[in-house]
Amino acid sequence: MSFTRQLSEMSASELNDAIDDTNFPQAHILSRGRNNSVCSTSSTSGTSSLADRAQTQPQPEDAAELPATPAEEVAPSTPATPATGNQRPRLILKMNGSSPDSDGTQPKTPMTPRTSTTPGHEKCTFHHDLELDHKPPTREALLPDMARSYRLLLGGLGENPDRQGLIKTPERAAKAMLFFTKGYDQSLEDVLNGAVFDEDHDEMVVVKDIEMFSMCEHHLVPFYGKVSIGYLPCNKILGLSKLARIVEIFSRRLQVQERLTKQIAVAVTQAVQPAGVAVVVEGVHMCMVMRGVQKINSKTVTSTMLGVFRDDPKTREEFLNLVNSK
């Protein structure tokens, strides 16, 4: 299971438990000279990258025969490996004790035929016994079943699905839902597409008011708003449009705003390993506007602060001032 897929299935509380950002520099050693106080402090922080930590752990002889560990179970912390050189501080995700994305240096699970009786695969949602690796069908292949479901829904509402205005509604609604949730087909690696650049820049980068549309997973109605992202680079910067595309990956899914905010912050951290990431999301939820309390002017604001933005009040204040400025 890819890192992005695991990330999409974790709740906000599970993401919070999986984040260990103690390797970021603490507030008492920060100064405006970030080049000396932030990016270089990782050499004494006693932390290592996910790949380094995974290599220090014993690997099972036959990974295919071991039961899969649920994504929400957090692996126990491993002893820190002293870092050397000018290694950038990184956000460590404790996800099953292994690196979220293999870079080719880690042993891979043998591509052997699997069935629903193979240990660890009893709960697989999609399984093709004759394939080497089980994969879900393409999303377009789901359209007929989804259209039939919408047709049943129309009938359940007391409508006539065969009347002129509704004949093609089930198919249109199914295609619309696939578009609303197209983020399930996207991964962080595909979206970045190599747009990570080496650059000697250590000052704050902020992209604000990124439009966001998502679907509330509790009521299947939209919520929308804007996202502001800031990060402090450590010799690597990200193409500006990629920040907006990261928002699209996670917003175009069934979501809750709290989890969406944290997923964006973690994804930016995975992309460029900055000294810190800050994300603020302001949303209007139609489940509060069209139904329930029906408060049409209410807005929900959530934030995630990682690294320097969490530890240093001045850095956090600078970001919030930039976000709130007109």
Side-chain angles (χ1 to χ4, degrees), residues 129-170:
D129 294 346
L130 299 180
E131 294 184 4
L132 292 180
D133 193 18
H134 60 298
K135 296 180 180 179
T138 61
R139 305 196 76 209
E140 289 72 16
L142 302 175
L143 279 174
D145 287 339
M146 292 178 64
R148 281 192 291 269
S149 298
Y150 276 110
R151 182 180 176 85
L152 289 174
L153 176 60
L154 291 174
L157 293 174
E159 271 286 0
N160 176 17
D162 293 321
R163 71 177 175 87
Q164 184 179 15
L166 295 179
I167 290 178
K168 294 187 178 180
T169 294

Side-chain angles (χ1 to χ4, degrees), residues 3 29 33 118 136 167 172 184 191 235 244 257 290 298 312 323:
F3 164 69
I29 61 173
T118 302
I167 290 178
R172 285 192 292 258
Y184 288 118
V191 166
N235 301 320
Q257 186 172 323
M290 297 177 63
S298 64
D312 183 19
V323 168

Side-chain angles (χ1 to χ4, degrees), residues 3-206:
F3 164 69
T4 308
R5 181 67 66 182
Q6 290 189 34
L7 197 61
S8 68
E9 295 175 353
M10 298 176 71
S11 66
S13 60
E14 290 167 343
L15 276 168
N16 191 55
D17 292 340
I19 291 176
D20 177 11
D21 63 341
T22 56
N23 58 315
F24 283 103
Q26 300 301 308
H28 69 276
I29 61 173
L30 295 174
S31 68
R32 294 302 296 172
R34 294 189 183 113
N35 211 14
N36 295 326
S37 63
V38 176
C39 294
S40 61
T41 54
S42 60
S43 61
T44 59
S45 63
T47 59
S48 60
S49 67
L50 280 168
D52 295 335
R53 294 176 62 181
Q55 291 175 356
T56 63
Q57 298 181 2
Q59 298 292 332
E61 295 182 358
D62 189 358
E65 297 299 322
L66 293 178
T69 303
E72 61 268 16
E73 292 184 10
V74 179
S77 58
T78 58
T81 303
T84 58
N86 291 324
Q87 180 184 2
R88 294 179 298 278
R90 296 187 179 190
L91 176 67
I92 304 295
L93 288 185
K94 301 173 287 185
M95 302 187 56
N96 300 337
S98 61
S99 105
D101 292 299
S102 174
D103 57 1
T105 62
Q106 299 298 322
K108 297 181 179 180
T109 303
M111 301 290 285
T112 56
R114 302 163 182 161
T115 69
S116 58
T117 60
T118 302
H121 295 269
E122 299 88 346
K123 297 182 179 181
C124 289
T125 306
F126 302 101
H127 226 304
H128 305 283
D129 294 346
L130 299 180
E131 294 184 4
L132 292 180
D133 193 18
H134 60 298
K135 296 180 180 179
T138 61
R139 305 196 76 209
E140 289 72 16
L142 302 175
L143 279 174
D145 287 339
M146 292 178 64
R148 281 192 291 269
S149 298
Y150 276 110
R151 182 180 176 85
L152 289 174
L153 176 60
L154 291 174
L157 293 174
E159 271 286 0
N160 176 17
D162 293 321
R163 71 177 175 87
Q164 184 179 15
L166 295 179
I167 290 178
K168 294 187 178 180
T169 294
E171 182 180 354
R172 285 192 292 258
K175 290 181 178 179
M177 182 58 72
L178 284 184
F179 181 81
F180 297 155
T181 58
K182 64 180 182 179
Y184 288 118
D185 287 336
Q186 299 174 324
S187 69
L188 182 61
E189 296 78 13
D190 294 337
V191 166
L192 294 181
N193 195 27
V196 177
F197 309 102
D198 294 326
E199 187 68 34
D200 185 17
H201 182 77
D202 64 346
E203 292 297 324
M204 191 179 302
V205 177
V206 176

Side-chain angles (χ1 to χ4, degrees), residues 253-287:
R253 302 179 180 191
L254 301 183
Q255 277 287 12
V256 295
Q257 186 172 323
E258 296 87 343
R259 182 172 68 236
L260 170 63
T261 308
K262 193 171 293 291
Q263 286 175 335
I264 294 171
V266 173
V268 174
T269 303
Q270 289 291 322
V272 289
Q273 300 90 45
V277 178
V279 179
V280 173
V281 179
E282 181 180 285
V284 175
H285 293 249
M286 300 309 292
C287 56

